[in-house]
Coordinates of all heavy atoms in Angstrom, one line a residue:
D22 N 33.1 25.6 -1.2 CA 32.5 26.7 -0.4 C 31.5 26.1 0.5 O 30.6 25.4 0.1 CB 31.9 27.6 -1.4 CG 31.3 28.8 -0.7 OD1 31.4 28.9 0.6 OD2 30.7 29.7 -1.3
P23 N 31.7 26.3 1.9 CA 30.7 25.8 2.8 C 29.3 26.2 2.5 O 28.3 25.5 2.7 CB 31.2 26.4 4.2 CG 32.6 26.6 4.0 CD 32.8 27.1 2.5
L24 N 29.1 27.5 2.1 CA 27.8 28.0 1.8 C 27.1 27.2 0.6 O 25.9 26.9 0.7 CB 27.8 29.5 1.5 CG 26.5 30.2 1.4 CD1 25.8 30.1 2.8 CD2 26.7 31.7 1.0
S25 N 27.9 26.9 -0.4 CA 27.4 26.2 -1.5 C 27.0 24.8 -1.1 O 26.0 24.2 -1.5 CB 28.5 26.1 -2.6 OG 28.8 27.4 -3.1
G26 N 27.8 24.2 -0.2 CA 27.5 22.9 0.3 C 26.2 22.8 1.1 O 25.4 21.9 1.0
F27 N 26.0 23.9 1.9 CA 24.8 24.0 2.7 C 23.6 24.1 1.8 O 22.6 23.4 2.0 CB 24.9 25.3 3.6 CG 23.6 25.6 4.2 CD1 23.1 24.9 5.3 CD2 22.8 26.6 3.8 CE1 21.9 25.2 5.9 CE2 21.6 26.9 4.4 CZ 21.1 26.2 5.5
F28 N 23.6 25.0 0.8 CA 22.5 25.1 -0.2 C 22.3 23.9 -1.0 O 21.1 23.5 -1.3 CB 22.7 26.4 -1.1 CG 22.4 27.7 -0.4 CD1 23.4 28.6 -0.1 CD2 21.1 28.0 0.0 CE1 23.1 29.8 0.5 CE2 20.8 29.2 0.6 CZ 21.8 30.1 0.9
G29 N 23.4 23.2 -1.3 CA 23.2 22.0 -2.1 C 22.5 20.9 -1.2 O 21.6 20.2 -1.7
S30 N 22.9 20.8 0.1 CA 22.2 19.9 1.0 C 20.7 20.2 1.2 O 19.8 19.4 1.2 CB 22.9 19.8 2.3 OG 24.2 19.3 2.2
L31 N 20.5 21.6 1.3 CA 19.1 22.0 1.5 C 18.2 21.7 0.3 O 17.1 21.2 0.5 CB 19.1 23.6 1.7 CG 17.8 24.2 2.0 CD1 17.1 23.6 3.2 CD2 17.9 25.7 2.1
L32 N 18.8 21.9 -0.9 CA 18.0 21.6 -2.1 C 17.7 20.1 -2.2 O 16.6 19.7 -2.6 CB 18.8 22.1 -3.4 CG 18.8 23.6 -3.6 CD1 19.7 24.0 -4.7 CD2 17.4 24.2 -3.8
W33 N 18.7 19.3 -1.8 CA 18.5 17.9 -1.9 C 17.4 17.5 -0.9 O 16.6 16.6 -1.3 CB 19.8 17.2 -1.5 CG 19.8 15.7 -1.8 CD1 20.1 15.0 -2.9 CD2 19.3 14.7 -0.8 NE1 19.9 13.7 -2.7 CE2 19.4 13.4 -1.5 CE3 18.9 14.8 0.5 CZ2 19.1 12.3 -0.8 CZ3 18.5 13.6 1.1 CH2 18.6 12.3 0.5
W34 N 17.4 18.0 0.3 CA 16.4 17.6 1.3 C 15.0 18.1 0.9 O 14.0 17.5 1.1 CB 16.8 18.2 2.6 CG 17.7 17.3 3.4 CD1 19.1 17.6 3.6 CD2 17.5 16.1 3.9 NE1 19.7 16.6 4.3 CE2 18.7 15.6 4.5 CE3 16.4 15.2 4.0 CZ2 18.8 14.4 5.1 CZ3 16.5 14.0 4.6 CH2 17.7 13.6 5.2
L35 N 15.0 19.3 0.3 CA 13.7 19.9 -0.2 C 13.1 19.0 -1.3 O 11.9 18.7 -1.4 CB 13.8 21.3 -0.8 CG 14.1 22.4 0.3 CD1 14.4 23.7 -0.3 CD2 12.8 22.5 1.2
F36 N 14.0 18.5 -2.2 CA 13.6 17.6 -3.3 C 13.1 16.3 -2.7 O 12.1 15.7 -3.2 CB 14.8 17.4 -4.2 CG 14.5 16.4 -5.4 CD1 13.6 16.8 -6.4 CD2 15.0 15.1 -5.4 CE1 13.3 15.9 -7.4 CE2 14.7 14.2 -6.4 CZ 13.8 14.6 -7.4
F37 N 13.8 15.8 -1.7 CA 13.4 14.5 -1.1 C 12.0 14.7 -0.4 O 11.2 13.8 -0.5 CB 14.5 14.1 0.0 CG 14.2 12.8 0.7 CD1 14.3 11.6 0.0 CD2 13.8 12.8 2.0 CE1 14.0 10.4 0.6 CE2 13.5 11.6 2.7 CZ 13.6 10.4 2.0
L38 N 11.8 15.8 0.3 CA 10.5 16.0 0.9 C 9.4 16.2 -0.1 O 8.3 15.7 0.1 CB 10.6 17.3 1.8 CG 11.4 17.2 3.1 CD1 11.5 18.6 3.8 CD2 10.7 16.2 4.1
Y39 N 9.7 16.8 -1.2 CA 8.8 16.9 -2.3 C 8.4 15.6 -2.8 O 7.2 15.3 -3.0 CB 9.4 17.7 -3.5 CG 8.6 17.8 -4.7 CD1 7.5 18.6 -4.9 CD2 8.9 16.9 -5.8 CE1 6.7 18.6 -6.0 CE2 8.2 16.9 -7.0 CZ 7.1 17.8 -7.1 OH 6.4 17.8 -8.2
L40 N 9.3 14.6 -3.0 CA 9.0 13.3 -3.4 C 8.1 12.6 -2.4 O 7.2 11.8 -2.8 CB 10.3 12.5 -3.6 CG 11.1 12.8 -4.9 CD1 12.4 12.0 -4.9 CD2 10.3 12.7 -6.2
L41 N 8.3 12.8 -1.1 CA 7.5 12.2 -0.1 C 6.1 12.8 0.0 O 5.1 12.0 0.2 CB 8.2 12.3 1.3 CG 9.5 11.5 1.5 CD1 10.0 11.8 2.9 CD2 9.2 10.0 1.4
M42 N 6.0 14.1 -0.2 CA 4.7 14.8 0.0 C 3.9 14.8 -1.3 O 2.7 14.9 -1.2 CB 5.0 16.2 0.4 CG 5.6 16.3 1.8 SD 4.6 15.6 3.1 CE 3.2 16.7 3.0
W43 N 4.5 14.7 -2.4 CA 3.7 14.8 -3.7 C 2.6 13.8 -3.8 O 1.5 14.3 -4.2 CB 4.7 14.7 -4.9 CG 4.0 14.8 -6.2 CD1 3.9 13.9 -7.2 CD2 3.3 15.9 -6.7 NE1 3.2 14.3 -8.3 CE2 2.8 15.6 -8.0 CE3 3.0 17.2 -6.2 CZ2 2.0 16.5 -8.7 CZ3 2.2 18.1 -6.9 CH2 1.7 17.7 -8.2
P44 N 2.7 12.5 -3.5 CA 1.6 11.6 -3.6 C 0.4 12.1 -2.7 O -0.7 12.0 -3.1 CB 2.1 10.3 -3.2 CG 3.6 10.4 -3.5 CD 4.0 11.8 -3.2
Q45 N 0.7 12.5 -1.5 CA -0.3 13.0 -0.6 C -1.0 14.2 -1.1 O -2.2 14.4 -1.0 CB 0.3 13.3 0.8 CG 0.7 12.1 1.6 CD -0.5 11.2 1.9 OE1 -1.6 11.7 2.2 NE2 -0.3 9.9 1.9
L46 N -0.2 15.2 -1.7 CA -0.8 16.4 -2.2 C -1.7 16.0 -3.4 O -2.8 16.6 -3.6 CB 0.3 17.4 -2.7 CG 1.1 17.9 -1.6 CD1 2.3 18.7 -2.1 CD2 0.3 18.8 -0.6
Q47 N -1.3 15.1 -4.2 CA -2.1 14.7 -5.4 C -3.4 14.0 -4.9 O -4.5 14.3 -5.4 CB -1.3 13.6 -6.2 CG -0.4 14.2 -7.2 CD 0.2 13.2 -8.1 OE1 0.7 12.1 -7.6 NE2 0.3 13.4 -9.4
F48 N -3.3 13.2 -3.9 CA -4.5 12.5 -3.3 C -5.5 13.5 -2.7 O -6.7 13.4 -2.9 CB -4.1 11.5 -2.3 CG -5.2 10.7 -1.8 CD1 -5.9 9.8 -2.6 CD2 -5.7 10.8 -0.5 CE1 -7.0 9.0 -2.1 CE2 -6.7 10.1 0.0 CZ -7.4 9.2 -0.8
R49 N -5.0 14.5 -2.0 CA -5.9 15.5 -1.4 C -6.6 16.3 -2.5 O -7.7 16.7 -2.4 CB -5.1 16.4 -0.5 CG -4.6 15.8 0.8 CD -3.8 16.7 1.7 NE -3.4 16.1 2.9 CZ -4.1 15.9 4.0 NH1 -5.3 16.4 4.0 NH2 -3.6 15.3 5.1
A50 N -5.9 16.7 -3.6 CA -6.5 17.4 -4.7 C -7.5 16.5 -5.4 O -8.6 17.0 -5.7 CB -5.4 17.8 -5.7
L51 N -7.3 15.2 -5.5 CA -8.2 14.3 -6.1 C -9.5 14.2 -5.2 O -10.6 14.2 -5.7 CB -7.6 12.9 -6.2 CG -8.2 12.0 -7.2 CD1 -8.3 12.6 -8.6 CD2 -7.4 10.7 -7.2
Q52 N -9.3 14.1 -3.9 CA -10.4 14.0 -3.0 C -11.3 15.3 -3.0 O -12.5 15.2 -3.1 CB -9.9 13.9 -1.5 CG -9.5 12.4 -1.1 CD -9.2 12.3 0.3 OE1 -8.4 13.2 0.9 NE2 -9.7 11.3 1.0
A53 N -10.6 16.5 -3.1 CA -11.4 17.7 -3.2 C -12.2 17.8 -4.5 O -13.3 18.2 -4.5 CB -10.4 18.9 -3.2

Side-chain angles (χ1 to χ4, degrees):
D22 184 359
L24 192 60
S25 298
F27 170 77
F28 281 113
S30 298
L31 180 61
L32 287 174
W33 187 91
W34 278 109
L35 289 173
F36 178 70
F37 181 71
L38 289 173
Y39 170 80
L40 288 179
L41 287 178
M42 295 298 297
W43 179 242
Q45 288 297 323
L46 295 173
Q47 278 186 313
F48 183 68
R49 289 180 182 275
L51 199 58
Q52 279 186 315

